[in-house]
Amino acid sequence: QVQLVESGGGFVQAGGSVTLSCAASGRTFSTYAAAWFRPAPGRERVFVAGITWGRSTYYADSVKGRFTISRDNALNTVDLQMNSLKLEDTAVYYCAARIGSVRQGSGSEYPYWGQGTRITVSS
């Protein structure tokens, strides 16, 4: 079993930056793929960014070039660096993990989830 806890949410101005962190329990977490999701209008959770155990990264088109996902196996954390934030980035961000490769579709493919942390972007 893996437990995930997100932190780093808060208020930020449009164009600003913030870093979210996901802290994981379990010695085997470094072998899991991890990802960040957020809700979208008219939808449930939507893929934002993902990272494999080998540190290959994947991004949604809407955040490519602005967000960076990384992991620190010594600390058992997965970070999401969010730059050039836009109003539409306002959301609750969830950390998720699964065995195997990064999946960019439905969040139902990820069995482990954190409780979420909210980012509010203001003009």
Side-chain angles (χ1 to χ4, degrees):
Q1 293 290 330
V2 173
Q3 292 182 304
L4 306 173
V5 180
E6 301 97 331
S7 62
F11 293 85
V12 62
Q13 288 284 108
S17 300
V18 69
T19 298
L20 305 182
S21 184
C22 174
S25 64
R27 289 185 174 182
T28 61
F29 178 70
S30 62
T31 69
Y32 284 60
W36 290 90
F37 285 77
R38 70 187 184 190
R43 302 180 65 180
E44 295 184 342
R45 289 166 293 186
V46 175
F47 178 86
V48 176
I51 186 167
T52 69
W53 63 269
R55 295 182 173 84
S56 297
T57 57
Y58 304 84
Y59 298 94
D61 288 341
S62 60
V63 306
K64 194 172 298 181
R66 299 190 298 120
F67 292 7
T68 302
I69 188 170
S70 62
R71 69 193 306 165
D72 187 326
N73 290 336
L75 298 177
N76 261 12
T77 57
V78 177
D79 289 353
L80 184 67
Q81 299 172 240
M82 306 165 68
N83 301 322
S84 302
L85 285 163
K86 303 175 180 179
L87 293 178
E88 53 263 43
D89 293 321
T90 294
V92 176
Y93 285 76
Y94 297 89
C95 180
R98 68 185 304 277
I99 297 173
S101 62
V102 167
R103 299 293 179 89
Q104 302 183 55
S106 172
S108 65
E109 299 177 274
Y110 290 78
Y112 305 108
W113 291 87
Q115 81 287 351
T117 186
R118 183 169 182 83
I119 289 291
T120 301
V121 182
S122 60
S123 60

